[in-house]
C-alpha cells in the first residue's frame, strides 16, 4: 500500500524538480509559452512512443498472467480427474493414489507457491511427490485397463500443466522492453522542458499530474510482471477448490 502511493508521489516530485531545474539552466532563447511547428511534432512523437511502449508491455504482461492462471486451472482439473478415476480402483490402490494426489496438491499450496514467489522455480520436494504418484500409477496391477489408462491420461495432463507452470514461474517481460519503457518515461517527464515552458502554477500542476500518472503506470506494469511472484500473483483458487473436493469426495 505504501509503494502504491510512494512511487507516484516520487515520480511527481522528480518531474517537478526537473522542470524547475531545467528552467534555471536553459538559455532564454529556448523558452517559449506555446508549442508549435516542428517542436510540437517532436513532442507528439514522444507521447506516441511512450503510449505504444506501455500498451505493448501491458499486453504482454496481461497475456503472461492470463496464461499462467489458465495453466493452474488445467493442472487442478487434471488432479481432480486423477482423483475421480482412482475411485474405480481396488481399495488399497485407490487409497494410495488418492492420498498421493492430496499430498501433492497440499504441497503445491503450502510449499511450492512460496518457492515460486521467492526463487522463480518449482519445488524439488513437490516434484518428488509427483514423481512418486506417477510411479505408483504406472505400477498399478489389479486395476481394469480402462481405469488405469484414465488415471495415467489425467496424470499426463497434470505433468503438462506443471511444466507450463514451471515456465510461468521464471517468465518475465523482456529487458529491452523495460529499457524502452524507462527511456520513454524519461522523455515524457522532460516533455515540459523540451516544450520550453516557463515555471508557472499551471505548468507545475500539469507536470505533477503527469508524474503521478506515469508513476501509477510503471507500478501497474511491475505488478503484472512475473505472474507467479510479482505484485499481482495468480490466485491459488483452482488448487484450493480441488483440495476441497478431495476432502468432501469428488
Amino acid at each position: 500500500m505504501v509503494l502504491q502511493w510512494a512511487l507516484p508521489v516520487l515520480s511527481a516530485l522528480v518531474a517537478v524538480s526537473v522542470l524547475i531545474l531545467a528552467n534555471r539552466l536553459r538559455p532564454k532563447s529556448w523558452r517559449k509559452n506555446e508549442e508549435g511547428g516542428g517542436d510540437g511534432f517532436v513532442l507528439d512523437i514522444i507521447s506516441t512512443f511512450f503510449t505504444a511502449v506501455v500498451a505493448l508491455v501491458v499486453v504482454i504482461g496481461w497475456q503472461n498472467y492470463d496464461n499462467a492462471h489458465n495453466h493452474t486451472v488445467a493442472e487442478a482439473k487434471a488432479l481432480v480427474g486423477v482423483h475421480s478415476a482412482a475411485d474405480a480402483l481396488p481399495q488399497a490402490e485407490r487409497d494410495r493414489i488418492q492420498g498421493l494426489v492430496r499430498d501433492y496438491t497440499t504441497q503445491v499450496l503450502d510449499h511450492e507457491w512460496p518457492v515460486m514467489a521467492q526463487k522463480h522455480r518449482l519445488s524439488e520436494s513437490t516434484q518428488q511427490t509427483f514423481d512418486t504418484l506417477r510411479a505408483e500409477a504406472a505400477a498399478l496391477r489389479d486395476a481394469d485397463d480402462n481405469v488405469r489408462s484414465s488415471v495415467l491420461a489425467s496424470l499426463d495432463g497434470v505433468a503438462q500443466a506443471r511444466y507450463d507452470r514451471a515456465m510461468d514461474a521464471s517468465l518475465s517481460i523482456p529487458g529491452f522492453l523495460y529499457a524502452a519503457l524507462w527511456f520513454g518515461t524519461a522523455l515524457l517527464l522532460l516533455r515540459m522542458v523540451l516544450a520550453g515552458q516557463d515555471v508557472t502554477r499551471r505548468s507545475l500542476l500539469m507536470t505533477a499530474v503527469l508524474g503521478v500518472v506515469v508513476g501509477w503506470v510503471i507500478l501497474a506494469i511491475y505488478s503484472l510482471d512475473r505472474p507467479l511472484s510479482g505484485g499481482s500473483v495468480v490466485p491459488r483458487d483452482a488448487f484450493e477448490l480441488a483440495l476441497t473436493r478431495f476432502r468432501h469426495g469428488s
Side-chain angles (χ1 to χ4, degrees), residues 47-67:
S47 299
T48 302
F49 174 78
F50 178 79
T51 302
V53 173
V54 167
L56 181 60
V57 173
V58 169
V59 168
I60 292 176
W62 179 254
Q63 286 179 340
N64 291 344
Y65 181 91
D66 191 49
N67 289 337

Side-chain angles (χ1 to χ4, degrees), residues 75 79 82 95-112 122-138 155 158-159 162 165 243 246:
E75 186 176 357
L79 286 168
V82 175
D95 292 344
R96 186 163 62 250
I97 295 297
Q98 291 184 340
L100 285 169
V101 170
R102 290 191 294 270
D103 290 344
Y104 171 76
T105 307
T106 301
Q107 288 182 30
V108 169
L109 287 170
D110 297 341
H111 178 65
E112 193 160 57
L122 301 189
S123 164
E124 294 180 2
S125 60
T126 306
Q127 180 63 51
Q128 291 174 358
T129 301
F130 180 68
D131 292 340
T132 301
L133 172 58
R134 295 194 78 175
E136 290 287 344
L155 280 173
V158 177
R162 180 174 175 79
R165 184 159 57 86
L243 195 58
F246 300 156

Side-chain angles (χ1 to χ4, degrees), residues 20 31 73 83 125 136 143-144 167 206 212 229:
I20 294 174
R31 301 184 183 185
V73 172
H83 196 275
S125 60
E136 290 287 344
D144 179 87
M167 299 298 294
M206 292 177 61
V212 170
S229 60

Side-chain angles (χ1 to χ4, degrees), residues 88-90 93 140-151:
L89 294 172
E93 295 179 333
L140 292 174
R141 293 291 180 266
D142 299 331
D144 179 87
D145 287 342
N146 290 332
V147 175
R148 183 173 179 273
S149 296
S150 180
V151 171

Side-chain angles (χ1 to χ4, degrees), residues 7-247:
L7 184 59
V9 170
L10 178 61
S11 178
L13 290 175
V14 169
V16 170
S17 299
V18 168
L19 177 61
I20 294 174
L21 181 60
N23 186 72
R24 293 179 178 179
L25 296 178
R26 66 191 172 190
K28 293 183 178 180
S29 60
W30 198 16
R31 301 184 183 185
K32 59 181 179 179
N33 293 321
E34 296 181 358
E35 300 174 6
D39 292 342
F41 178 71
V42 172
L43 296 176
D44 288 341
I45 289 178
I46 292 174
S47 299
T48 302
F49 174 78
F50 178 79
T51 302
V53 173
V54 167
L56 181 60
V57 173
V58 169
V59 168
I60 292 176
W62 179 254
Q63 286 179 340
N64 291 344
Y65 181 91
D66 191 49
N67 289 337
H69 184 259
N70 290 338
H71 294 154
T72 64
V73 172
E75 186 176 357
K77 285 183 176 180
L79 286 168
V80 172
V82 175
H83 196 275
S84 299
D87 284 335
L89 294 172
Q91 182 175 357
E93 295 179 333
R94 179 193 66 203
D95 292 344
R96 186 163 62 250
I97 295 297
Q98 291 184 340
L100 285 169
V101 170
R102 290 191 294 270
D103 290 344
Y104 171 76
T105 307
T106 301
Q107 288 182 30
V108 169
L109 287 170
D110 297 341
H111 178 65
E112 193 160 57
W113 226 265
V115 170
M116 291 190 297
Q118 298 170 8
K119 300 181 180 180
H120 313 305
R121 61 173 177 80
L122 301 189
S123 164
E124 294 180 2
S125 60
T126 306
Q127 180 63 51
Q128 291 174 358
T129 301
F130 180 68
D131 292 340
T132 301
L133 172 58
R134 295 194 78 175
E136 290 287 344
L140 292 174
R141 293 291 180 266
D142 299 331
D144 179 87
D145 287 342
N146 290 332
V147 175
R148 183 173 179 273
S149 296
S150 180
V151 171
L152 292 175
S154 295
L155 280 173
D156 287 341
V158 177
Q160 179 61 54
R162 180 174 175 79
Y163 177 83
D164 292 335
R165 184 159 57 86
M167 299 298 294
D168 296 333
S170 60
L171 193 63
S172 179
I173 294 172
F176 74 90
L177 284 180
Y178 272 125
L181 178 65
W182 283 112
F183 178 70
T185 299
L187 290 179
L188 192 65
L189 293 181
L190 289 170
R191 191 175 189 276
M192 287 292 191
V193 177
L194 297 174
Q197 292 292 322
D198 290 324
V199 176
T200 63
R201 290 183 179 180
R202 180 173 179 272
S203 64
L204 287 175
L205 179 59
M206 292 177 61
T207 302
V209 171
L210 178 63
V212 170
V213 172
V214 169
W216 270 328
V217 168
I218 298 297
L219 184 61
I221 288 173
Y222 272 93
S223 296
L224 274 178
D225 197 11
R226 293 195 178 277
L228 293 173
S229 60
S232 299
V233 178
V234 169
R236 309 181 304 169
D237 50 0
F239 288 98
E240 292 171 346
L241 178 59
L243 195 58
T244 299
R245 292 191 60 178
F246 300 156
R247 290 170 176 169

